[in-house]
Amino acid sequence: MSKKDFYPLLMIVIAIGVFPWVVGGNQYFISILVFMGINSIVTMGLSLLMGYAGQISLGHAGFFGIGAYSSGILTTKYSFHPILAFFAGIFLSAVIAFLVGKPTLRLKGHYMAVATLGFGEILFIFFNELSPLTGGPSGLSGIPTLTFFGHLLEGTTYLYLVWGFVIILLLFSLNLINSRVGRALRAVHGSEIAANAMGVDASWYKVQVFVLSAVYASMAGSLYAHFVTFISPSSFSLMFSILLLMMVVVGGAETIWGALLGAMILTLLPEYLRGLEDFEVLAYGAILMVVLLFMPQGVLQGVRSLFGGKKS
Amino acid sequence: MDGGILKGKGLHKFFGGLRAIDFLDFIVPEGKVKSVIGPNGAGKTTLFNMITGVIPPTGGILEFAGRSLNGLKPHVIACLGISRTFQHLELFGNMTVLENVMLGRHRQTASGILSAGLRLPRMRREEKEIRENALQELRFMGLEDRAMLSASALPLGEQKLLEIARALATQPKLLLLDEPAAGLNTRETVKLSETILRIRDRGITIMLVEHDMSLVMEISDEVLVLNYGKKIAEGSPREVQRNPEVIAAYLGEETGNA
């Protein structure tokens, strides 16, 4: 973490800390902030993958789903401890990401997008068809809420748990990008041939960051499952992968902060667009177009340059 | 000529019917500047790409410091101590000048995702070392006051120097320069030739592909002349300049009126 990241980080910690009091413990507002945190975890991983290493994925809803279903299935059907299930999800996601990433990361641009899209769809079919485990299209219910030394984590405490994860992963990501590994990732994005010529094993770094982003997504999925206690395949469809991608692009893929901001904006927005019902998707599309046209580097950079700030 | 740091024997690369490199034998003597010249399409860049593992040879042997390079991946070859610049700049435009050079230190350092993400003490020490070394190479190339600029913001001449700084940061034994003077003005070219000699004086062997003949003749210890993938001459700049085949290749075949 560099110095310029310290104050934004402190602000987030304070904002999250006082938020429940500001909204008077309103469960609706708190749950929105929980979802913002959960989505942020996925988009931070995606930002490392897309913004830094320059690799696209349309399959991350799948990894989110693996985390959610691992937690859901293992705790309800095999009475695993939630923490054990959480790590099982991470392990499974990492292994699958490695196996999928190895061949698909050879592909570039659109081809990589289509390959990961196909992967996401395959997982979506598994979630639907493995009814004995996943409950099929009608979903899996009765996922236990989490406890901490006998204290039930819900509402405000769950908010703190999720944002604790956000902060830790944010710190981890910021450290990572300001390091040898982060430079290697950006170098792969900048020029793969030059990265290789300087001794960076580009294909191995691409696989590593793909696995890392899958691990982030899996963590988020587990946190999601224990929060909503009921999961069904529709939450892990292609539409969610696209939404995640939009969050990263709208916020600004090339900074971790942008990914965070994008997740917050696009988690909040549907709450306001809900009144539009069927036209919700239309409004989404319009917003994405406006952002791409007027702030091609994302809202974060767009706002910064509006206020005359330097591009960083 | 024996005891060269890089040797090629019967090296060839065919693209279908095109013989880009046609059974080439060569030796690059250690600690010297060896230039490779020839008309466009002579196979110079193909030769560089084979040495650095970007394209595999169709056949033949490449040996670096007694080790075969055949079948090695580019990043492995880089780690053996061969670095390069590119004819068409391949800078990391999304990074600062300093970060570009810092990336060059990649092979001497070892931090992985976990130690970087957790910012372990070992990684912090390493990071400091990387930065200091990169700044040193920037000073060597005279780019220290550009350190914090975006690499893509530099003028062409400085971008070329930055590529050399980045390559030097890898601490190579052999440095391949692919047309470093292309696009430079006269003053910059003079400075470049001094820089190349200073690099050689650090004990780094240099292999140079260049079209600027006065630069080549001034700084090379040996010159290898290629035409259509074949060696047509090899020797000191003076010898090569007198070689009738070389003159023919550059000025066109004699038709009796020359």
Side-chain angles (χ1 to χ4, degrees), chain A residues 215-244:
Chain A
V215 166
Y216 278 37
S218 174
M219 289 181 183
S222 291
L223 289 169
Y224 173 79
H226 287 294
F227 184 65
V228 297
T229 68
F230 166 81
I231 53 177
S232 69
S234 60
S235 309
F236 314 108
S237 64
L238 173 64
M239 194 57 212
F240 186 56
S241 281
I242 293 173
L243 181 63
L244 290 168

